[in-house]
Amino acid sequence: MARRDHHDAIPSMPARATSPAESMPHTSRSAGLILVAVLLPALALTGCGDDRKAAASTPTSSTSPSASATPSPTPSPTPPSDRDGDGIPDSSDTYPDDPKNIPQQEPFVLTCYLDDDFSESQPFTILTGKDGRPDFSEVWAAKPVSCDADQISPVSPVEKTVYKTSQYDDGDISVLYEMCGEVDADDPYTKAGFAASSEQIPEINAALTLCPKHPYAKKWRQAVQRGQVDADLEAQGRLFGSGTYRVGKEIKPGTYVTHDVDGCYWERQNSSGNIIDNYFTNGARRVQVTIRSSDYAFHSENCGEWRPAG
């Protein structure tokens, strides 16, 4: 039997129409897919870049710590020191501890000697105390027998009062400062029965005004009291010493005595200078004379001090 050909055995089928897509080569579709896959990440990156640019272009408000914090108040300047409260700063206040600003003596050095031989000396700085008077407490504790000071002019109200009381006329009160510094056991003003003379009284009173708490202040006052009695007698013409005096004008008539004399001579005179009566003694414990109102003058030598008898 003759063999039949394969094409002959299977009838041919009509050809099916194909779509354009189906008609596209296989390689073109694959390339499109690859292109899409590449473009998508690129687009995503482009978007992110735009966002970053937008973020960079948008100004960001930054707040510094100093701007956000509450501003602290500016501290007030510290007022200058004013210890005495007088409204004047201590730096320009001449008397920073005295609200009344009363003038005071500048501190100065008082040189004092501590023994009778004047071989040991010590300087003391004298300051003004709260009562306006100089402070001698440190000096008094050393008990100096003598003190020296340079010229001191009165400055404070106390010193001006002291100067007026002293009856000095040279503008110098250094002697009074020296008196106030000395605590001499042999001070003549402290001797029993001592009476200050009319010249000594104002000086002692001035010293007592400058240093009223002096260790010898009580004895000084007693000497002044006794001396004041004599000063009053002298002013009345009933206390006098050597010399010639007009009776009734310079001295009063009366009975007078003197004590412990050596080589005493006296005489009563008339208006012609002639002697009415006279007396002489080499030495006596007591001498007495009566001066009459009719006498013109009375003269005496080496008789000491005449004072009323009785």
Side-chain angles (χ1 to χ4, degrees), residues 6-64:
H6 179 67
H7 294 283
D8 293 336
I10 300 174
S12 61
M13 296 190 62
R16 184 174 58 88
T18 61
S19 64
E22 290 175 335
S23 64
M24 292 177 63
H26 179 70
T27 57
S28 299
R29 180 179 297 177
S30 299
L33 292 174
I34 292 171
L35 179 60
V36 170
V38 171
L39 290 174
L40 285 175
L43 290 173
L45 290 173
T46 302
C48 290
D50 292 341
D51 291 342
R52 284 196 298 270
K53 290 179 181 178
S57 62
T58 303
T60 303
S61 60
S62 62
T63 305
S64 64

Side-chain angles (χ1 to χ4, degrees), residues 28-196:
S28 299
R29 180 179 297 177
S30 299
L33 292 174
I34 292 171
L35 179 60
V36 170
V38 171
L39 290 174
L40 285 175
L43 290 173
L45 290 173
T46 302
C48 290
D50 292 341
D51 291 342
R52 284 196 298 270
K53 290 179 181 178
S57 62
T58 303
T60 303
S61 60
S62 62
T63 305
S64 64
S66 60
S68 61
T70 303
S72 59
T74 303
S76 301
T78 303
S81 178
D82 181 15
R83 295 196 298 270
D84 56 12
D86 61 356
I88 303 175
D90 292 343
S91 58
S92 57
D93 193 346
T94 306
Y95 310 105
D97 295 313
D98 182 10
K100 296 182 179 179
N101 296 308
I102 299 174
Q104 298 177 1
Q105 183 69 246
E106 292 293 331
F108 66 93
V109 174
L110 187 67
T111 303
C112 296
Y113 300 91
L114 307 182
D115 55 15
D116 293 330
D117 296 333
F118 295 86
S119 59
E120 183 181 357
S121 64
Q122 182 174 345
F124 296 92
T125 300
I126 304 301
L127 305 174
T128 301
K130 294 182 178 180
D131 60 353
R133 290 176 170 81
D135 183 2
F136 291 96
S137 56
E138 185 180 359
V139 186
W140 294 336
K143 296 183 178 180
V145 297
S146 180
C147 293
D148 290 332
D150 294 332
Q151 180 173 342
I152 302 172
S153 299
V155 175
S156 68
V158 170
E159 290 175 332
K160 292 180 179 179
T161 299
V162 164
Y163 180 69
K164 184 177 181 180
T165 303
S166 70
Q167 298 182 10
Y168 293 166
D169 58 2
D170 58 356
D172 183 10
I173 57 174
S174 59
V175 171
L176 299 175
Y177 270 94
E178 293 168 355
M179 287 177 60
C180 283
E182 297 168 0
V183 189
D184 186 5
D186 294 327
D187 185 345
Y189 295 167
T190 65
K191 301 304 180 182
F194 176 81

Side-chain angles (χ1 to χ4, degrees), residues 237 244-253 271 291 295-298:
T244 303
Y245 301 91
R246 285 283 304 276
V247 178
K249 289 188 176 181
E250 295 176 304
I251 62 174
K252 300 289 186 182
S271 59
I291 302 173
D295 295 344
Y296 181 81
F298 177 80

Side-chain angles (χ1 to χ4, degrees), residues 276-297:
I276 299 174
D277 191 10
N278 64 347
Y279 174 84
F280 174 80
T281 179
N282 286 322
R285 297 190 62 182
R286 184 179 187 275
V287 176
Q288 178 174 315
V289 62
T290 298
I291 302 173
R292 303 184 184 280
S293 58
S294 58
D295 295 344
Y296 181 81

Side-chain angles (χ1 to χ4, degrees), residues 182-219:
E182 297 168 0
V183 189
D184 186 5
D186 294 327
D187 185 345
Y189 295 167
T190 65
K191 301 304 180 182
F194 176 81
S197 68
S198 57
E199 292 81 12
Q200 293 168 334
I201 288 174
E203 185 176 67
I204 297 175
N205 281 334
L208 287 169
T209 302
L210 187 65
C211 53
K213 296 181 181 180
H214 190 280
Y216 294 159
K218 182 178 179 179
K219 292 183 178 180

